[in-house]
Amino acid sequence: MTDIDAPVVIIGAGPVGLATALVLGRHGVRSVVFEQYDGINPHPRAHIVNTRSMELFRTWGIADAVRADAVDPAWANTILWKQTLAGEPLGRIGLVEGPEDQLLRRIQASAEQLISCAQDRVQQHLLDAVLAQGMATVRYGTTVVEVTDLGDRVDVTVQGVDGRQTLRSCYAVAADGATGGLRDTLGIPMDSSAVLGHQLNIYFHADLSPWMREDPALLIWLINSASPGLLIGMDGAHRWTFQRSFDPAAETPQDYPPERCAQIVREAVGTTELDVDIRSVGPWTMTARTAETYCSGRVFLVGDAAHQFPPTGGLGMNSGLADADNLGWKLAAVLRDGASDALLDSYERERRPVAVDNARHSMLNAIKMAEVGIGPETTRIAARLESPDPAVAAAERRRIAEAIPPQRPHFDALNLEIGYVYGAARHGDGAPFPATDYTPIATPGARLPHAWIERDGDRVSTHDLLIPGFTLITGPEGADWADAFAESGEDVAKRTVVFGRDVTSPDGHCPELLGIGEDGALLVRPDGHIAWHSAEGSTPASALATLLNATEQSA
């Protein structure tokens, strides 16, 4: 048995596992991350980094690096449907050509915007940040073979280059993905969900500029009988993935050697002359399901270990990153600041309803895509498009062209990205959480609204005011709140920001947006969500210490 200088063990060094380590480190808690593979998987999978994730990356100091690796917006803002890449478009969605009010709402909602950056690149930037921080040890080529919860600790047995070793820690975090197995070992069931299909993801390098130069697009759905599927530009240059249907009952990835995959790509492009470098092939299952509980004793689930969505909506990795941020600060509060274990119960209570909403939205998107030839109807629709009867083919093209614009909500779900409110009744009454029509609201459980303000002559976001701790923001007459806050929570990292003293709102809009007026205040948790709010100084400022303590204990 080995006691390690890391109270948290993280199983899995994917984006969510690394994010968990990074958040813990920001709060002064060490961790060790075990990854069975020898390094970052070069096979790009997820690629959408949504608004909330970019806000987290901004806070963690890696937003600029991730943005530099992102696809050019000229590519990312267009979605195409074609028969083959070389063919004429069946229809398109231009994301910057939507309703003006929706575009303005998205631009004004955050200092950051949704981007497309391949998962392996995102993962590299997270790893670089973790290693630079120096609070976590990342051990590749090490398989976790057993996790034993002993009530007052967790023993983790691993197998690596140095043989088998059992490590003792306070908590374990399962970030081992959809197929990692630890969730099943713990006996945590998933809610039932039908499998929408099985897919094969072919990652390849090729020069597709002859077909993309004049009409670039991030996603191109190809509907034909020879090689239907989805083409994704991972860097807008030479890295691509092609997703196609796969039948695990009749075939295996070994049935797709590089020569066959190259031919599949050529048929999808619509040319016999193309140099294709197949890099890797991976199968995956399209489903939507959520773990019935997010923890078993001292072991917590994050990311795909806790929830799996169809990619139709780009919410999978992004939901996991927010999981990491939520769980990370709470573990740190218990381990470092002496908060009650009851605080950890709020992780599932807050994050699982968000996953349920995201799963529902992603599932509905996937079902709706059948109207435009994606899914079980592909063969029939492709046959009509390729009909020898010109009238039949023309009619099908018109039908698809009319069905494409209603797919826009699939690609713009701002309210799901940043509008969820922890503890809100709409997350518990079974009603769908609306994907669009985001409205900033300063209420407990909501993410702190973004607004541009001035600090020391610089234009910053309200999010730039936050620290790895609790932040109190008050109106100009909030001195009593500031004094009470300074005297409370001696062991808690905290900052006070007073409008008119520390920051200013040039247009006067921010205090109104935050609902704090002249003498009100709000308290922001370490994850950027509002813990408590007072519109005016009617609550005795001396009660703030009690409020802060209660917030830290139970969120």
Side-chain angles (χ1 to χ4, degrees):
M1 185 73 63
T2 300
D3 290 313
I4 58 174
D5 185 23
V8 180
V9 168
I10 300 168
I11 299 99
V16 178
L18 291 172
T20 304
L22 186 61
V23 173
L24 287 168
R26 281 171 50 81
H27 291 278
V29 174
R30 293 187 174 276
S31 63
V32 59
V33 186
F34 294 114
E35 172 56 56
Q36 62 178 322
Y37 298 109
D38 292 333
I40 293 174
N41 187 344
H43 187 110
R45 288 159 286 176
H47 64 100
I48 294 298
V49 184
N50 72 19
T51 305
R52 184 57 186 150
S53 294
M54 284 301 294
E55 289 177 347
L56 294 178
F57 289 171
R58 182 187 183 97
T59 299
W60 302 343
I62 63 172
D64 289 342
V66 172
R67 193 181 299 108
D69 265 340
V71 176
D72 189 301
W75 287 61
N77 289 326
T78 302
I79 316 298
L80 280 177
W81 279 258
K82 291 185 169 186
Q83 285 183 260
T84 65
L85 182 61
E88 294 299 317
L90 296 167
R92 73 178 64 233
I93 291 177
L95 298 181
V96 296
E97 298 167 3
E100 184 176 354
D101 61 332
Q102 290 187 19
L103 296 176
L104 286 175
R105 185 181 296 122
R106 179 171 279 281
I107 292 170
Q108 295 170 354
S110 177
E112 299 289 343
Q113 298 299 317
L114 177 151
I115 65 170
S116 175
C117 182
Q119 178 176 319
D120 61 318
R121 300 292 174 84
V122 170
Q123 200 167 331
Q124 184 63 60
H125 293 303
L126 284 165
L127 177 61
D128 292 344
V130 167
L131 296 179
Q133 187 184 69
M135 293 294 291
T137 300
V138 182
R139 291 172 58 174
Y140 287 102
T142 306
T143 300
V144 173
V145 296
E146 186 176 8
V147 175
T148 305
D149 185 347
L150 297 174
D152 61 346
R153 68 178 191 270
V154 178
D155 287 350
V156 180
T157 301
V158 300
Q159 181 73 45
V161 294
D162 297 326
R164 181 165 293 214
Q165 181 183 21
T166 298
L167 309 168
R168 178 170 295 170
S169 193
C170 297
Y171 296 97
V173 177
D176 53 344
T179 60
L182 182 53
R183 181 193 62 246
D184 294 336
T185 300
L186 295 171
I188 299 177
M190 304 286 278
D191 56 16
S192 59
S193 173
V195 172
L196 292 181
H198 300 276
Q199 299 283 309
L200 192 74
N201 195 329
I202 301 172
Y203 168 42
F204 66 97
H205 290 184
D207 179 11
L208 302 185
S209 60
W211 302 278
M212 299 294 290
R213 186 182 300 113
E214 299 300 325
D215 196 10
L218 177 66
L219 307 176
I220 308 102
W221 269 278
L222 304 172
I223 308 172
N224 59 72
S225 58
S227 186
L230 170 63
L231 185 67
I232 306 175
M234 285 294 173
D235 66 353
H238 69 284
R239 302 180 76 216
W240 309 87
T241 60
F242 184 66
Q243 297 176 7
R244 57 176 276 132
S245 294
F246 177 75
D247 183 2
E251 54 187 351
T252 70
Q254 286 67 42
D255 295 320
Y256 288 83
E259 298 79 9
R260 182 184 179 191
C261 289
Q263 182 60 27
I264 288 170
V265 171
R266 293 187 187 101
E267 290 174 343
V269 173
T271 181
T272 59
E273 301 295 329
L274 179 65
D275 185 16
V276 182
D277 178 12
I278 301 297
R279 308 306 291 260
S280 57
V281 175
W284 55 280
T285 300
M286 185 183 295
T287 187
R289 58 183 192 155
T290 307
E292 293 187 2
T293 181
Y294 273 27
C295 74
S296 174
R298 288 177 169 264
V299 184
F300 295 84
L301 309 181
V302 293
D304 285 355
H307 46 70
Q308 296 140 39
F309 317 140
T312 41
L315 294 167
M317 178 180 70
N318 295 291
S319 298
L321 293 171
D323 291 345
D325 199 42
N326 186 292
L327 178 62
W329 80 263
K330 292 173 181 177
L331 284 170
V334 172
L335 290 165
R336 187 197 62 188
D337 301 331
S340 166
D341 287 349
L343 175 63
L344 300 176
D345 296 337
S346 69
Y347 166 61
E348 175 185 324
R349 189 167 64 245
E350 294 182 341
R351 291 304 303 165
R352 189 176 187 278
V354 175
V356 170
D357 284 331
N358 290 348
R360 181 188 292 116
H361 175 74
S362 302
M363 178 73 83
L364 292 176
N365 280 344
I367 294 171
K368 190 174 179 59
M369 287 293 284
E371 299 174 4
V372 288
I374 310 304
E377 293 295 301
T378 299
T379 300
R380 184 186 65 81
I381 292 174
R384 291 178 62 83
L385 287 172
E386 297 166 2
S387 172
D389 185 339
V392 171
E396 188 63 16
R397 291 180 68 91
R398 287 195 299 271
R399 189 197 66 77
I400 291 176
E402 292 172 357
I404 287 174
Q407 304 292 328
R408 178 178 289 276
H410 173 158
F411 306 102
D412 188 5
L414 182 62
N415 208 33
L416 288 177
E417 296 176 38
I418 61 175
Y420 50 85
V421 179
Y422 293 144
R426 58 192 172 198
H427 279 309
D429 59 9
F433 184 65
T436 55
D437 301 327
Y438 166 74
T439 300
I441 179 172
T443 190
R447 150 196 168 276
L448 177 71
H450 154 76
W452 291 114
I453 55 178
E454 287 190 4
R455 178 180 61 186
D456 298 329
D458 295 327
R459 183 174 182 256
V460 300
S461 168
T462 47
H463 294 174
D464 298 328
L465 304 176
L466 307 181
I467 63 168
F470 287 85
T471 305
L472 180 74
I473 303 176
T474 83
E477 304 300 323
D480 289 345
W481 292 117
D483 292 343
F485 189 55
E487 297 171 1
S488 65
E490 293 182 1
D491 296 328
V492 177
K494 56 187 184 293
R495 167 186 285 175
T496 301
V497 178
V498 178
F499 270 92
R501 185 191 74 184
D502 304 309
V503 296
T504 60
S505 177
D507 59 4
H509 173 63
C510 188
E512 179 182 350
L513 176 66
L514 301 183
I516 56 177
E518 286 295 308
D519 58 355
L522 59 80
L523 184 66
V524 187
R525 306 182 335 184
D527 60 354
H529 284 254
I530 297 172
W532 161 86
H533 179 272
S534 178
E536 56 185 20
S538 57
T539 301
S542 60
L544 188 58
T546 302
L547 291 166
L548 176 59
N549 182 65
T551 297
E552 187 187 5
Q553 298 298 309
S554 63

